[in-house]
Amino acid sequence: MRSKKSHIIPKVLLVLVLVFTLFNKVQAQVDDNSPLNVTDYFDEARSLQNQNKLDLALVSLNKASELAEKNDDIKSLIDSYHKLALLYLQLDKEESTEVFWGRSNTLLKEVEYPYGDAIFKFVEAKMLHRKGNNFQAIFMLEEAKQLNNDRNFFNHILLLEADIYVDLEKFEVASKNYNSLIANTDIYEKDYLATRAYLGMAKLNLDTDKLGEAALNGENALKLSKANNFFREIKASNEQLALIYKKMGRFDLALQNNENLGVIKDSLFNIEKVKTEAKTADKIQFDFMSNQISKQDKQIEDLTDETNRSEIIVILVSAFLIIISLLAVSLYRNNQIKLKTNDLLQTKNSELQSARDEAVNAMEAKTNFLSTVSHELRTPLYAVTGLTHLLLEESPSKSQLEHLKALKFSGDYLLNFINDILQINKIDADKLEPLNVDFNLKRTLQEVIDSLKQSAKENKSKIILDYDENIPGHLMSDPIKLSQVFMNLVGNALKFTKDGEVTVIAKLLKKEDEDVTLYFEVADTGIGISKEKQESIFEGFEQGSIQINREYGGTGLGLTIVKSLLGLFGSKIQLVSEEGQGSSFFFELELKSKDSLVDDIPFEITQQDFEFKGLHILIVEDNKINQVITKKMLTKKEITSDIASNGMEAVELAKNNTYDAILMDIHMPGISGEEATIRIRKFDQMTPIVALTAISLDDSLESFYAAGCNDVVTKPFKPEVFYQKIGENIFSKKVRKASS
């Protein structure tokens, strides 16, 4: 018996092991064959669309919409309709696009979905661009940007903007967008976006007769599209290259691309493929419309089932029939009225569209005008302030000293005025967006107060900070713009307060998890504001009265800037004041806190003394007067220098000489300072480059740094800032080089 059991037990164990193994395999197969979710279908459709498999992409998106509808997921259903609308637009089926786009609009009214609203405006911008309404398309894209900051979505906005700007012949703006996309880090469509950007740059280069660069960008697009099987882009690349090489006289290469094009068209864009895509598109739209009709029929049936056969229903039906009869009698006349009304509406719509285009053009013209004026004023102002500084250091006589100080004051006043105008213009043109970085609010407020203590001393007034210590030490917002708000409010209060007090109040109103609501107030004991002037005090150039303007000076733009900046944060400035009793400006802000962060050790940035003697610097500047001023300021610190009058000359001098630093003007004839910096960085990564620029509305500090600049100094500048920036960049570079 024992021997039999000893044989049976191993067999039982073997059977159990086999059963367990089989169960694991079956379970693994079940897991592997788990159904796709909506996001998986979206990813699948994106990949298929980029490979020009549009019929299969339509099928994937249709499955996504069906699954979203089954799960009662309205947001995913909206996303599905938007993606279908964009795909139908690619198939040149604009009526189908408007069907799905319109359905998404209906659903958006039922839910709060900023991302869906943003995509809705993006689709509208695409349709406007196709119709040639480019300014309206740009306007829609700007609204879409405000609603969502998804990286993939933002990249597609950049691409569409660039295509529109090429059509508008704004090649410099388009080039910036394309170059940004060429180096994009998109996690979904990095190669596809780069391919489209190369194609855009190739067209731009061809339109501007830069044939060598056009060919290079076209070849890059072809290489990248082949590597990823982007068939539509392979076709577009060959078409573009054929045109480019033909214009270059390289007919052998043009012929080769044309032959490639023929093969591609035969294999990928044949009649059967087009028929398949059209059939699939029509079927999906037909099924969609049938589904909508079925839903409506079901609703009617449900209503019918729930309605009792009461006398009221009979009366209502009779009344309805009578109304129908009356409507039938007047139908012809109503149709005539409708036709006339439609004609009138069409005429008015055309007039409104023309007026809207003119308004956008006027706004753009105003923005460009103010930007140009601000920039052009800064350039001669640099000469005024620079020469004044040099003359003040040359031991002037007592009478000359008085005149020079007056000249310096006037130059500083004019510079502040220009800065205020440029700031308001940037806000009006939506060129400013608030950052979202970690900062310490108390430190920010204290820095503002410290910078204005001299103004308080001159007016024999005190600045008091009433700070609630319950406010979290780490907040997320834009400390620079908040500093601008308080600099204007506190500076304005000090200007109208003599022998008094200005109090800055910061209180914690509410804190829920990381959501913080703060109350701010700047109160003074100054002259106050009359009731009739309080309504207009936040408008540009308003100062209460002509007498106040003459007595206290200033531009009247400070409160306008405060109002506009707070608008970026979704807040509103309010005012309480009485004449002779002082004023109180207050507002609330909603911020995020970071309770998990530990306070760091406070630090102070101190001015450093640098030994400049023996340094050799390249000055890149096209203005002759500015060349003399900058060179003389360097000579005073025993710094030798060379001068380049344009970007090309700067590149050559940098290539053939060794400099401790390069001072680079941005706006120059020929190639700009940005382009010159990019070319220098191709052979010199170490020499510090400091941008000296009379910055304008379209200038972006981020683009300066992206080009390879180490720092930026705005003209006209204070001499101590000028020397400090040079020292920091040169000697910090040497310390890093020595340590490495």
Side-chain angles (χ1 to χ4, degrees):
M1 290 293 291
R2 288 181 180 177
S3 62
K4 287 182 180 180
K5 285 182 179 180
S6 64
H7 287 294
I8 292 171
I9 290 172
K11 291 180 179 179
V12 172
L13 289 173
L14 180 61
V15 170
L16 288 173
V17 169
L18 290 171
V19 170
F20 181 73
T21 303
L22 181 61
F23 175 78
N24 283 340
K25 286 184 177 180
V26 171
Q27 184 65 36
Q29 290 178 355
V30 170
D31 292 340
D32 289 341
N33 295 324
S34 57
L36 298 176
N37 58 35
V38 173
T39 304
D40 294 330
Y41 283 125
F42 285 166
D43 292 339
E44 184 178 75
R46 181 192 295 116
S47 177
L48 291 167
Q49 184 177 355
N50 290 346
Q51 295 178 27
N52 198 39
K53 299 176 182 178
L54 303 186
D55 52 335
L56 298 178
L58 281 169
V59 172
S60 295
L61 290 178
N62 190 46
K63 289 179 180 178
S65 66
E66 290 174 349
L67 182 58
E69 189 169 14
K70 179 182 177 183
N71 296 335
D72 199 21
D73 185 353
I74 295 180
K75 292 182 178 180
S76 293
L77 189 57
I78 291 169
D79 292 340
S80 301
Y81 289 156
H82 281 150
K83 292 179 187 296
L84 282 165
L86 288 169
L87 198 49
Y88 275 106
L89 198 61
Q90 189 172 336
L91 287 165
D92 295 324
K93 291 180 174 288
E94 294 188 6
E95 290 184 2
S96 301
T97 297
E98 292 183 1
V99 168
F100 287 100
W101 183 63
R103 182 55 185 157
S104 69
N105 186 32
T106 303
L107 294 177
L108 283 169
K109 294 175 182 177
E110 300 177 10
V111 294
E112 187 174 345
Y113 189 25
Y115 176 76
D117 292 329
I119 301 295
F120 180 82
K121 292 182 180 296
F122 176 74
V123 177
E124 185 173 1
K126 277 231 171 196
M127 292 193 290
L128 287 167
H129 174 50
R130 287 171 69 95
K131 294 175 182 177
N133 298 327
N134 291 317
F135 288 113
Q136 294 179 48
I138 289 291
F139 181 81
M140 277 297 150
L141 290 177
E142 289 299 325
E143 287 194 352
K145 283 185 197 174
Q146 307 302 318
L147 294 170
N148 190 267
N149 59 359
D150 177 77
R151 173 52 57 185
N152 179 259
F153 174 57
F154 185 75
N155 284 336
H156 277 280
I157 286 181
L158 283 180
L159 182 60
L160 181 54
E161 274 185 345
D163 293 341
I164 294 171
Y165 283 131
V166 169
D167 290 346
L168 294 172
E169 296 185 356
K170 294 188 175 184
F171 298 123
E172 187 173 350
V173 182
S175 178
K176 283 185 179 181
N177 283 21
Y178 285 138
N179 283 321
S180 173
L181 289 170
I182 286 171
N184 80 86
T185 56
D186 194 284
I187 60 175
Y188 299 113
E189 297 180 282
K190 180 176 183 292
D191 288 344
Y192 178 75
L193 290 165
T195 303
R196 296 299 308 178
Y198 276 127
L199 277 170
M201 280 300 297
K203 183 180 184 304
L204 187 154
N205 297 145
L206 182 61
D207 290 346
T208 53
D209 288 329
K210 297 179 180 178
L211 300 181
E213 295 179 24
L216 180 61
N217 284 312
E219 292 291 353
N220 285 335
L222 182 58
K223 180 180 178 182
L224 203 52
S225 57
K226 282 183 176 179
N228 292 276
N229 293 326
F230 298 153
F231 300 119
R232 189 175 291 267
E233 283 65 40
I234 293 172
K235 173 177 173 287
S237 301
N238 278 287
E239 288 175 338
Q240 197 73 266
L241 286 168
L243 290 173
I244 294 166
Y245 286 132
K246 182 179 179 182
K247 196 168 183 180
M248 293 174 71
R250 298 294 306 275
F251 298 109
D252 54 335
L253 295 176
L255 180 60
Q256 181 181 336
N257 288 114
N258 275 321
E259 290 175 352
N260 294 342
L261 199 57
V263 174
I264 294 166
K265 287 181 177 178
D266 290 341
S267 60
L268 300 175
F269 297 90
N270 53 50
I271 295 173
E272 289 304 318
K273 175 175 171 55
V274 172
K275 284 183 178 178
T276 302
E277 289 175 350
K279 185 177 179 181
T280 304
D282 292 341
K283 183 181 184 306
I284 289 173
Q285 185 184 353
F286 178 79
D287 291 345
F288 172 77
M289 298 300 291
S290 299
N291 185 34
Q292 297 300 311
I293 293 170
S294 298
K295 285 181 182 178
Q296 292 175 359
D297 290 343
K298 183 68 168 60
Q299 289 175 352
I300 293 170
E301 289 176 7
D302 292 342
L303 288 171
T304 303
D305 292 339
E306 292 171 3
T307 304
N308 56 30
R309 304 293 181 179
S310 65
E311 184 179 354
I312 296 173
I313 295 298
V314 174
I315 294 170
L316 289 174
V317 170
S318 301
F320 179 73
L321 291 173
I322 293 170
I323 292 170
I324 290 295
S325 300
L326 292 172
L327 288 173
V329 171
S330 60
L331 182 61
Y332 176 77
R333 191 177 67 176
N334 287 345
N335 280 339
Q336 294 300 313
I337 294 171
K338 182 180 177 182
L339 288 172
K340 291 179 181 178
T341 304
N342 283 341
D343 290 340
L344 181 61
L345 283 174
Q346 189 171 3
T347 302
K348 291 297 181 184
N349 281 338
S350 299
E351 292 174 359
L352 285 172
Q353 286 181 352
S354 299
R356 184 177 180 180
D357 287 342
E358 289 175 5
V360 171
N361 289 335
M363 186 66 178
E364 188 177 62
K366 175 203 134 185
T367 299
N368 292 335
F369 171 74
L370 287 176
S371 173
T372 303
V373 169
S374 300
H375 177 268
E376 292 304 320
L377 284 174
R378 281 174 174 270
T379 301
L381 191 57
Y382 171 59
V384 173
T385 56
L387 289 171
T388 304
H389 169 74
L390 294 173
L391 290 171
L392 282 169
E393 289 195 344
E394 291 180 355
S395 303
S397 65
K398 189 174 181 180
S399 61
Q400 290 173 331
L401 182 63
E402 184 179 347
H403 295 321
L404 288 172
K405 285 184 177 179
L407 182 61
K408 183 178 185 299
F409 173 81
S410 298
D412 291 340
Y413 178 88
L414 182 57
L415 177 60
N416 289 333
F417 182 56
I418 293 169
N419 286 340
D420 285 347
I421 291 175
L422 190 60
Q423 182 81 342
I424 291 173
N425 203 28
K426 279 192 174 184
I427 295 170
D428 289 344
D430 290 333
K431 293 285 183 177
L432 289 182
E433 292 184 4
L435 302 174
N436 193 35
V437 298
D438 172 41
F439 76 106
N440 183 284
L441 177 62
K442 187 173 184 181
R443 182 186 301 169
T444 300
L445 293 176
Q446 192 61 55
E447 287 173 352
V448 171
I449 291 171
D450 290 343
S451 67
L452 293 170
K453 279 185 177 178
Q454 182 59 35
S455 298
K457 186 177 179 182
E458 291 172 359
N459 279 2
K460 299 178 182 178
S461 296
K462 292 191 299 183
I463 309 177
I464 300 169
L465 176 61
D466 181 2
Y467 189 84
D468 187 349
E469 295 299 335
N470 292 320
I471 296 174
H474 291 274
L475 297 171
M476 300 296 292
S477 189
D478 191 330
I480 296 175
K481 291 182 179 59
L482 288 179
S483 295
Q484 289 176 308
V485 169
F486 285 102
M487 284 290 286
N488 279 293
L489 287 176
V490 179
N492 192 65
L494 286 171
K495 184 164 61 174
F496 298 108
T497 304
K498 294 183 179 178
D499 298 314
E501 292 181 351
V502 175
T503 305
V504 180
I505 301 170
K507 297 291 182 186
L508 177 65
L509 291 183
K510 184 172 60 176
K511 185 178 186 303
E512 295 180 358
D513 298 326
E514 291 190 345
D515 295 322
V516 176
T517 303
L518 302 180
Y519 170 82
F520 295 99
E521 182 178 347
V522 176
D524 64 66
T525 58
I527 64 173
I529 305 167
S530 65
K531 295 291 184 184
E532 59 269 18
K533 287 295 180 183
Q534 288 182 23
E535 294 295 325
S536 60
I537 198 69
F538 296 103
E539 303 302 324
F541 304 99
E542 285 290 338
Q543 273 202 330
S545 70
I546 296 174
Q547 289 76 16
I548 289 174
N549 186 24
R550 288 172 178 169
E551 181 178 352
Y552 293 93
T555 62
L557 294 174
L559 293 178
T560 306
I561 293 172
V562 169
K563 178 183 176 182
S564 300
L565 286 174
L566 287 178
L568 298 176
F569 295 98
S571 182
K572 184 179 180 181
I573 188 74
Q574 299 184 64
L575 164 66
V576 174
S577 180
E578 289 186 21
E579 283 191 272
Q581 300 297 317
S583 304
S584 176
F585 295 87
F586 54 94
F587 59 93
E588 293 181 12
L589 277 184
E590 294 182 356
L591 307 175
K592 293 282 187 182
S593 67
K594 290 295 179 183
D595 299 328
S596 59
L597 297 179
V598 180
D599 286 336
D600 54 359
I601 299 172
F603 65 91
E604 296 289 335
I605 300 175
T606 57
Q607 291 288 108
Q608 299 182 44
D609 292 325
F610 298 104
E611 179 54 54
F612 293 108
K613 184 177 181 180
L615 295 179
H616 189 49
I617 289 177
L618 174 62
I619 303 168
V620 186
E621 171 66 67
D622 63 304
N623 186 285
K624 298 299 181 184
I625 296 175
N626 291 350
Q627 289 176 0
V628 173
I629 294 170
T630 306
K631 186 175 183 69
K632 195 162 186 178
M633 290 180 72
L634 294 177
T635 303
K636 280 188 173 292
K637 296 294 184 180
E638 299 186 68
I639 302 172
T640 60
S641 60
D642 293 337
I643 295 176
S645 297
N646 55 63
M648 290 301 297
E649 190 176 337
V651 175
E652 288 302 315
L653 285 172
K655 187 179 294 184
N656 299 322
N657 298 278
T658 301
Y659 297 102
D660 292 292
I662 299 173
L663 304 179
M664 180 70 71
D665 186 27
I666 295 299
H667 297 279
M668 293 183 293
I671 67 170
S672 67
E674 276 189 46
E675 179 62 27
T677 301
I678 292 170
R679 296 188 185 187
I680 290 172
R681 285 303 183 216
K682 290 180 180 179
F683 58 81
D684 182 357
Q685 294 290 325
M686 296 301 297
T687 302
I689 300 178
V690 179
L692 297 183
T693 176
I695 195 165
S696 65
L697 183 71
D698 291 327
D699 287 332
S700 166
L701 297 181
E702 289 79 7
S703 69
F704 297 162
Y705 292 120
C709 293
N710 300 86
D711 216 328
V712 180
V713 177
T714 304
K715 292 190 296 189
F717 46 74
K718 293 182 179 180
E720 57 269 23
V721 174
F722 176 66
Y723 294 131
Q724 181 75 11
K725 291 286 188 181
I726 292 174
E728 285 176 355
N729 284 280
I730 292 177
F731 294 105
S732 62
K733 181 206 75 168
K734 290 183 177 179
V735 169
R736 288 196 302 271
K737 189 174 181 181
S739 61
S740 61

